[in-house]
Each structure stands twice: as C-alpha cells, then as structure tokens.
Amino acid sequence: MEFALVVLVVALALSFDYTNGFHDAANAIATSVSTRALTPRAALIMAAVMNFAGALLGTEVAETIATSIVDLNGVNPHQALIVVLCALVGAIVWNLITWWFGLPSSSTHALIGGLVGAGLAGGLMIYGQAIVDKVVLPMVFSPLVGFGLAFIAMVGLLWAFRRAAPSKTTRRFRLAQTVSAAAMALGHGLQDAQKTMGVIFMALLTVGWASPEEGIPLWVKLAAAAAISAGTYSGGWRIMRTLGRKIIELDPARGFVAESVSAIVLYVNAFALHAPVSTTHTITSAIMGVGATKRLSAVRWGVAKNIGIAWVLTIPAAALVAAIMYWILSPILL
C-alpha cells in the first residue's frame, strides 16, 4: 500500500506540474506573442526549453515547500501520503477550473492552499509563521513591486526614447523581447517546477526514501523539469488571450519591460528569499504597471478585478477541495 501511494503521489505531482505548465505558459510568452515579437509556436518551444533549464537551477523553493508548510514529523507515513495526495488533487482541480474560465490564477498558491487544507483536515500542525513570511507577504508585495517597478521602468524608457523614430524603436524592442521572454520563462521554471519537486521530496521523506542531508534526488529534478516543459509546450491559449490582450493592448516596449521586471522579481525571490511566489501574479501586475503609463483608463480594470477575485479565492478554494478529498479518502486508505 505504501509503495502504491508513493507512486500515485509522484504521478499526481507530475500531472500537477504538467497542468502548471499549460496553465502558466502564458506567463512567459503572452506578451511576446501579442506584440508579434515571436510566433506562437516559436514562443512555446523557447518557453519549454527555458522552463526545463530553469527547473534545474536551484532547490531552495522546493525545500521551502517540502519543509515549511505542513509538519509531517512523526506522522504516520500513510496519513502523510494521503495529505500530499489530497493537496495535489485540490491544486489540480483549481488549476483546471481557472484555466477553463481563462483566469490567470496562481498554481503556486493552489498547491500551498491544498497542502494547508489537507493538513488541517488531517489534524496536522501547519507552520503558520512560515506561511505568513514566505507565502502571504510575498503574495501581497510581489505584485505591488511588479506593478511599481514596471511603471517606473516604463516611464524611464519612454523618456529615454522620446526622440527616437517609432518604427525603428518598435523593431528593436521586438528583438529585445526575445531575450526578456526567455528570461521570464527561465524564472518560471526556476519557481514553479521546484514546487513539484518539493511535493515529491516531501512524499519521499515521509517513507524514508530520501533524506534532508542528501537533498532532492536527480531523477525528481529531471522528472519535474520535463513535466512542466511538456505542459508549457502544449500551450495555454485561453489564459494567453487574457494576459496578452484583455488587460491592455501591449506594444513591444511595454512587453519587454513587463517581462524583464517580472523575471527580476522571480529571481530575487527564488535565490535571495527562497520564497515560492506566483509567476502569474508577478507578470499580471507588471502588465498593469506598464499599461498604466499610457493612462489609467487604458487598463481594463474590470478584467483586472476578475483576476484579483481569482487570486483571493485560490488558497481557500484549493484548501477546501483538498480537505473534502481528505475526508473522503482517509477512511478508505488509512
């Protein structure tokens, strides 16, 4: 039973990673596609490759997910595996719901919400302070920083190129967007694939198939990188339309700034703060920031409001689904 549960958890974790890829593919490439800096197919190939590379750059975020959300020390391995299993179901269900409605919600927060909901349903201890420090605060401040930096950077760019020929400037920024989109895709892999690594690592730790000293096994890193890369390549056209066109009509310069600022925020959180931030929140707020430099009314705030509602609901909704799944499955599997 234990072996079967571990295999099921790994399979579900990689399925979540795949849904994360197609759900969040838009994060890296929507702006480049909408400004015609890249064709959709070229953008997807580039994003898939960079997602794979980014997933192998570090493990700090994965270790945060594995050790700083739910306390599994001393817990019956069967119960711990059921908690992880139900957390993944909650995250996948919420990913699919928001993908269907074209809402760029956070796969990161869906997974964390799932872990919290299943953990509470199972009577386990939740690391409340760590969740506040490494999840809630970054969830609040990363979009604000993304919006503010993108707005300031765009104002500076407009001033620097105020006398430049528009057609030549547009061509140059289309080329520059190839680099910024790649940087954003690398950051997406760095952040989001690590969350799947963390969940698999958590499952392996509970049954003694891995140790904190040796860290995350190589096969886990490669499997998570491959799953998110495959998911990214399969595309996420519904959400891409929301990010690329429904919030604001982007030009290449604004797309370049939004992607560059988002990538910086992702790298700082991964390498310096070890915080699992949402790539979705970061790029969406950066798009709003560059859009606001046209005029505030240029941003379609009604669409932004719907996205904001999805953000607020993500953790509690995923937590509720995970808790319900735990109540259903624990009598059967325990």
Side-chain angles (χ1 to χ4, degrees):
M1 175 66 82
E2 189 174 275
F3 177 79
L5 277 175
V6 172
V7 171
L8 184 57
V9 166
V10 171
L12 265 182
L14 294 177
S15 299
F16 168 76
D17 207 18
Y18 183 85
T19 67
N20 190 332
F22 75 68
H23 189 277
D24 292 0
N27 295 345
I29 61 176
T31 54
S32 296
V33 172
S34 70
T35 61
R36 296 180 176 82
L38 293 169
T39 64
R41 189 57 56 197
L44 283 170
I45 293 170
M46 179 274 295
V49 171
M50 298 306 286
N51 267 207
F52 188 92
L56 302 177
L57 288 181
T59 59
E60 292 86 356
V61 172
E63 286 161 9
T64 295
I65 292 289
T67 61
S68 300
I69 307 297
V70 180
D71 183 6
L72 297 179
N73 292 321
V75 176
N76 179 299
H78 278 109
Q79 184 184 13
L81 289 171
I82 292 168
V83 166
V84 176
L85 180 71
C86 294
L88 286 165
V89 172
I92 290 170
V93 167
W94 185 248
N95 265 3
L96 293 175
I97 289 171
T98 51
W99 168 80
W100 179 258
F101 288 103
L103 293 173
S105 70
S106 169
S107 297
T108 301
H109 296 145
L111 179 58
I112 291 168
L115 285 170
V116 170
L120 289 174
L124 305 186
M125 192 187 87
I126 305 298
Y127 292 114
Q129 191 58 52
I131 292 173
V132 169
D133 293 342
K134 295 194 173 186
V135 178
V136 176
L137 292 180
M139 179 177 73
V140 173
F141 287 111
S142 290
L144 295 176
V145 169
F147 183 96
L149 283 181
F151 183 88
I152 293 167
M154 193 65 222
V155 169
L157 203 67
L158 289 170
W159 185 85
F161 286 87
R162 65 192 184 282
R163 294 191 178 91
S167 59
K168 185 181 292 186
T169 302
T170 298
R171 283 197 304 273
R172 287 174 178 171
F173 276 111
R174 278 207 177 103
L175 291 173
Q177 263 199 284
T178 305
V179 177
S180 62
M184 178 66 194
L186 192 74
H188 178 244
L190 173 66
Q191 274 281 344
D192 284 40
Q194 282 197 52
K195 290 142 196 173
T196 299
M197 293 180 205
V199 171
I200 296 175
F201 189 43
M202 183 188 297
L204 297 179
L205 287 173
T206 63
V207 294
W209 294 2
S211 68
E213 294 75 23
E214 293 178 4
I216 298 173
L218 179 61
W219 72 266
V220 174
K221 297 178 186 177
L222 292 175
I228 199 169
S229 181
T232 297
Y233 184 71
S234 71
W237 305 109
R238 291 173 184 269
I239 294 170
M240 200 179 297
R241 285 194 294 271
T242 300
L243 281 179
R245 295 193 180 278
K246 287 187 180 179
I247 295 175
I248 186 172
E249 294 289 340
L250 288 170
D251 53 64
R254 285 179 169 81
F256 169 76
V257 170
E259 289 167 342
S260 300
V261 166
S262 298
I264 291 169
V265 172
L266 293 178
Y267 297 152
V268 169
N269 276 284
F271 291 124
L273 303 178
H274 305 170
V277 298
S278 168
T279 54
T280 306
H281 291 193
T282 306
I283 186 62
T284 305
S285 58
I287 289 172
M288 292 178 189
V290 297
T293 60
K294 286 185 175 181
R295 60 187 185 283
L296 286 177
S297 60
V299 178
R300 297 183 179 105
W301 295 107
V303 175
K305 182 188 75 172
N306 291 338
I307 293 170
I309 291 170
W311 287 1
V312 172
L313 290 177
T314 293
I315 289 180
L320 180 61
V321 174
I324 291 170
M325 288 304 301
Y326 183 87
W327 291 324
I328 293 171
L329 293 179
S330 58
I332 301 170
L333 298 177
L334 275 178

PDB file of all heavy atoms in Angstrom, residues 28 46 55 156 174 291 314 325:
ATOM      1  N   ALA A  28       4.966  33.427 -19.533  1.00  0.00           N
ATOM      2  CA  ALA A  28       6.241  33.713 -20.168  1.00  0.00           C
ATOM      3  C   ALA A  28       6.091  34.298 -21.570  1.00  0.00           C
ATOM      4  O   ALA A  28       6.920  35.100 -22.000  1.00  0.00           O
ATOM      5  CB  ALA A  28       7.076  32.433 -20.234  1.00  0.00           C
ATOM      6  N   MET A  46      10.558  27.962 -27.232  1.00  0.00           N
ATOM      7  CA  MET A  46      11.516  28.680 -26.401  1.00  0.00           C
ATOM      8  C   MET A  46      11.145  28.573 -24.919  1.00  0.00           C
ATOM      9  O   MET A  46      11.999  28.302 -24.057  1.00  0.00           O
ATOM     10  CB  MET A  46      11.574  30.148 -26.830  1.00  0.00           C
ATOM     11  CG  MET A  46      12.519  31.032 -26.022  1.00  0.00           C
ATOM     12  SD  MET A  46      11.739  31.698 -24.522  1.00  0.00           S
ATOM     13  CE  MET A  46      10.480  32.736 -25.238  1.00  0.00           C
ATOM     14  N   ALA A  55      14.249  24.914 -14.234  1.00  0.00           N
ATOM     15  CA  ALA A  55      13.903  23.951 -13.186  1.00  0.00           C
ATOM     16  C   ALA A  55      15.131  23.328 -12.544  1.00  0.00           C
ATOM     17  O   ALA A  55      15.074  22.829 -11.417  1.00  0.00           O
ATOM     18  CB  ALA A  55      13.019  22.852 -13.772  1.00  0.00           C
ATOM     19  N   GLY A 156      10.723  55.681 -17.377  1.00  0.00           N
ATOM     20  CA  GLY A 156      12.112  55.985 -17.723  1.00  0.00           C
ATOM     21  C   GLY A 156      12.427  55.658 -19.169  1.00  0.00           C
ATOM     22  O   GLY A 156      13.128  56.418 -19.861  1.00  0.00           O
ATOM     23  N   ARG A 174      11.094  44.530 -30.312  1.00  0.00           N
ATOM     24  CA  ARG A 174      10.624  43.190 -30.672  1.00  0.00           C
ATOM     25  C   ARG A 174      11.770  42.181 -30.530  1.00  0.00           C
ATOM     26  O   ARG A 174      11.586  41.074 -30.033  1.00  0.00           O
ATOM     27  CB  ARG A 174      10.086  43.164 -32.107  1.00  0.00           C
ATOM     28  CG  ARG A 174       8.661  43.670 -32.211  1.00  0.00           C
ATOM     29  CD  ARG A 174       7.935  43.065 -33.407  1.00  0.00           C
ATOM     30  NE  ARG A 174       6.547  43.512 -33.429  1.00  0.00           N
ATOM     31  CZ  ARG A 174       6.070  44.437 -34.227  1.00  0.00           C
ATOM     32  NH1 ARG A 174       6.863  45.027 -35.106  1.00  0.00           N
ATOM     33  NH2 ARG A 174       4.798  44.777 -34.179  1.00  0.00           N
ATOM     34  N   GLY A 291       0.947  49.247 -18.496  1.00  0.00           N
ATOM     35  CA  GLY A 291      -0.262  49.776 -19.137  1.00  0.00           C
ATOM     36  C   GLY A 291      -0.702  51.088 -18.542  1.00  0.00           C
ATOM     37  O   GLY A 291      -1.196  51.975 -19.249  1.00  0.00           O
ATOM     38  N   THR A 314      -8.007  31.616  -4.511  1.00  0.00           N
ATOM     39  CA  THR A 314      -7.194  30.443  -4.843  1.00  0.00           C
ATOM     40  C   THR A 314      -6.827  29.593  -3.635  1.00  0.00           C
ATOM     41  O   THR A 314      -7.086  28.383  -3.602  1.00  0.00           O
ATOM     42  CB  THR A 314      -5.916  30.868  -5.590  1.00  0.00           C
ATOM     43  OG1 THR A 314      -6.285  31.383  -6.868  1.00  0.00           O
ATOM     44  CG2 THR A 314      -4.975  29.682  -5.794  1.00  0.00           C
ATOM     45  N   MET A 325     -11.419  16.090  -0.141  1.00  0.00           N
ATOM     46  CA  MET A 325     -10.811  14.853  -0.629  1.00  0.00           C
ATOM     47  C   MET A 325     -10.222  14.042   0.519  1.00  0.00           C
ATOM     48  O   MET A 325     -10.311  12.810   0.545  1.00  0.00           O
ATOM     49  CB  MET A 325      -9.725  15.175  -1.657  1.00  0.00           C
ATOM     50  CG  MET A 325     -10.240  15.657  -3.003  1.00  0.00           C
ATOM     51  SD  MET A 325     -11.387  14.505  -3.793  1.00  0.00           S
ATOM     52  CE  MET A 325     -10.369  13.044  -3.919  1.00  0.00           C
TER      53      MET A 325
END
